[in-house]
Amino acid sequence: MSTIGTLYTVSAPSGAGKTSLVEALTQGSEHVQVSISHTTRPMRPGEQDGVNYHFLTHAAFAEMLKRNAFLEHATVFGNSYGTSAQWVESQLQQGLDVILEIDWQGAAQIKRLRPDAVAIFILPPSRAELQQRLQKRGQDDASVIERRMAEAVDEISHFDHADFVVINDQFDRALQELRCILECHRLRVGVQAHRWKSLLQDLLS
């Protein structure tokens, strides 16, 4: 029996492992969808339209913004990003859970618009481990890593805006905790009362 899905926001500092955890969480799942953002950022090598992002011109993005088509939106380094409100709502109405990988500011926007959204924050096990993970990428010089660490500390300072916090020390354990959060929300009274309406009517008759 169908029921309305739950909207989740997942936030984390760069290097905390958010993307890897969300990919593992949704792999093979028929009940969870990850929202694909719209962006004006140029497509990078290896990326695909509709897979990594929905790539738009600035004019097309502005038109969607004018129509209030975004559930949330932000501009980062001169490029715009937004989440389609219509797509999210259609998935939720089909009974699917939707995950938005988003920073704390975007998560706060979502929470104001949809108080029923569930905010999850992923943290690294230590500052030293976070810095080591950023260095292991081997893509940035020392000054860039230092800037990313400063940005990470700023993001982490807003962890208490979330409903749940997961520490990504051991990947498998963090993944299991994320699964537990989703499963618990599927067992809430309101959800179960809708899903098992006929059963409850039969039991109470």
Side-chain angles (χ1 to χ4, degrees), residues 7 35-38 54 61 64-65 67-73 81-94 98 100 109-110 113-114:
L7 178 60
S35 175
I36 301 173
S37 296
H38 291 68
H54 296 292
F61 192 96
M64 289 186 70
L65 196 59
R67 291 188 283 106
N68 295 317
F70 295 119
L71 186 59
E72 61 79 32
H73 63 89
Y81 299 81
T83 300
S84 168
Q86 182 179 11
W87 182 87
V88 169
E89 189 59 35
S90 70
Q91 301 304 301
L92 295 175
Q93 290 298 326
Q94 293 177 53
V98 175
L100 305 183
Q109 281 188 54
I110 297 296
L113 290 170
R114 298 192 64 119

Side-chain angles (χ1 to χ4, degrees), residues 7 13 16 19 42 56 58 60-61 85 88 115 120 128 132 138 144 147 155 165 178 182 194 199:
L7 178 60
T19 301
L56 301 176
H58 286 276
F61 192 96
V88 169
I120 303 171
Q132 187 176 35
V144 173
R147 177 173 59 81
E155 180 82 16
V165 172
L178 283 174
L182 268 64
H194 184 89
L199 170 63

Side-chain angles (χ1 to χ4, degrees), residues 101-169:
E101 291 187 59
I102 204 165
D103 67 10
W104 76 269
Q105 291 173 307
Q109 281 188 54
I110 297 296
K111 203 72 168 176
R112 285 193 295 269
L113 290 170
R114 298 192 64 119
D116 59 327
V118 179
I120 303 171
F121 205 101
I122 297 172
L123 291 173
S126 70
R127 187 185 182 111
E129 175 64 21
L130 178 61
Q131 185 160 4
Q132 187 176 35
R133 290 178 185 178
L134 291 173
Q135 290 171 336
K136 278 183 177 179
R137 293 179 176 181
Q139 300 173 340
D140 305 313
D141 59 30
S143 63
V144 173
I145 291 174
E146 184 178 349
R147 177 173 59 81
R148 290 191 182 279
M149 279 297 297
E151 292 171 350
V153 170
D154 179 66
E155 180 82 16
I156 290 170
S157 70
H158 301 282
F159 80 93
D160 54 354
H161 292 195
D163 299 302
F164 295 91
V165 172
V166 172
I167 311 299
N168 185 15
D169 185 2

Side-chain angles (χ1 to χ4, degrees), residues 176-195:
Q176 183 59 36
E177 289 176 350
L178 283 174
R179 286 174 173 154
C180 286
I181 292 170
L182 268 64
E183 187 60 34
C184 284
H185 277 78
R186 293 187 185 118
L187 299 176
R188 286 177 299 171
V189 169
V191 175
Q192 290 289 70
H194 184 89
R195 179 179 293 134

